[in-house]
């Protein structure tokens, strides 16, 4: 069993809908939680970074962390076709440690 | 531009050859990484260096040897390339903040290695 599980999708939504993504993890040692966006043939781009349980909002993006359930989410409001990409959750146990990635969810926002 | 830059972007080579990928970051970060993304898009850590010192070495064949001449550079040399080495290799860097948090984890645009 992988340390971080993420539904591969694809997740197809109409433009303007809310995109809901999530990851589950098994190791409570993870302390830092990130979401990356990766366009085809590009490097991962950091979208959101959270440390504690709770919500964090940045524009159209909201990240949620529930450490008790070992569950993290990313919501994208008012989705646009340009949001079509693969979204990867990434977890870290401590500063300077490696990122442990989920397998990524492919999202397609249709105009 | 501040960034993590990798060269080359594309690398096509024959089995058995030796090749190198270079990475440079001008973000002032202390830690640099190599990640491998396989055909299923799964990203996995290979190596990590902190201030030129190797701190993470996952289960990677000995044919892969990282080298960090200074904290802004981390190169990856691969000997005797095999078909299974075909993948996208990403360099990344990060920095620990003064209060123990982290920031950064910035990725380069990747090197697409194809072994034929």
């Amino acid at each position: 069993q992988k340390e971080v599980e993420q539904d591969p999708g694809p997740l197809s939504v109409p433009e303007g809908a809310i995109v809901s993504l999530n990851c589950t993890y098994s190791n409570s040692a993870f302390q830092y939680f990130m979401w990356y966006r990766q366009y085809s043939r590009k490097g991962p781009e950091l979208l959101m970074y959270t440390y504690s349980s709770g919500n964090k909002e940045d524009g159209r993006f909201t990240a949620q962390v529930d450490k008790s359930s070992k569950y993290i989410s990313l919501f994208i409001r008012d989705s646009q076709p340009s949001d079509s990409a693969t979204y990867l959750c990434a977890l870290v146990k401590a500063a300077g440690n490696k990122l442990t990635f989920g397998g990524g969810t492919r999202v397609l926002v249709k105009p | 531009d501040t960034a993590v830059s990798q060269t080359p972007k594309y690398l096509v080579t024959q089995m058995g050859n030796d090749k190198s990928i270079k990475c440079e970051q001008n973000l002032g970060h202390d830690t640099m990484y190599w990640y491998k993304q396989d055909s299923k898009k799964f990203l996995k850590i290979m190596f990590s260096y902190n201030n030129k010192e190797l701190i993470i070495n996952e289960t990677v064949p000995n044919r892969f040897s990282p080298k960090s001449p200074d904290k802004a550079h981390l190169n990856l040399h691969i000997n005797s390339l095999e078909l299974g080495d075909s993948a996208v290799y990403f360099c990344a860097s990060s920095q620990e903040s003064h209060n123990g948090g982290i920031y950064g984890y910035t990725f380069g645009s990747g090197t697409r290695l194809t072994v034929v």
Side-chain angles (χ1 to χ4, degrees), chain A residues 19-67:
Chain A
V19 176
S20 174
L21 304 162
N22 57 74
C23 288
T24 59
Y25 61 97
S26 55
N27 193 332
S28 58
F30 287 119
Q31 299 294 323
Y32 303 89
F33 308 92
M34 303 180 194
W35 285 95
Y36 282 85
R37 176 176 63 196
Q38 186 175 22
Y39 291 114
S40 180
R41 296 184 172 261
K42 299 287 186 185
E45 171 195 5
L46 182 63
L47 285 176
M48 300 285 286
Y49 156 51
T50 54
Y51 172 66
S52 56
S53 282
N55 292 358
K56 182 176 180 180
E57 196 171 310
D58 184 1
R60 296 185 297 113
F61 299 93
T62 300
Q64 281 185 353
V65 174
D66 182 346
K67 285 187 175 181

Side-chain angles (χ1 to χ4, degrees), chain A residues 96-101, chain B residues 31-37 42-49 56-60 90 92 105 107:
Chain A
N97 275 198
K98 63 181 182 180
L99 287 169
T100 300
F101 281 90
Chain B
T31 307
M32 294 185 72
Y33 311 81
W34 279 110
Y35 284 83
K36 179 181 179 180
Q37 188 169 45
F42 189 67
L43 267 160
K44 192 171 180 188
I45 183 75
M46 298 175 71
F47 301 103
S48 167
Y49 271 75
I56 294 174
N57 185 350
E58 294 287 299
T59 309
V60 177
F90 286 101
Y105 273 115
F107 281 77

Side-chain angles (χ1 to χ4, degrees), chain A residues 86-101:
Chain A
T86 296
Y87 290 81
L88 302 129
C89 61
L91 286 65
V92 182
K93 292 175 185 173
N97 275 198
K98 63 181 182 180
L99 287 169
T100 300
F101 281 90

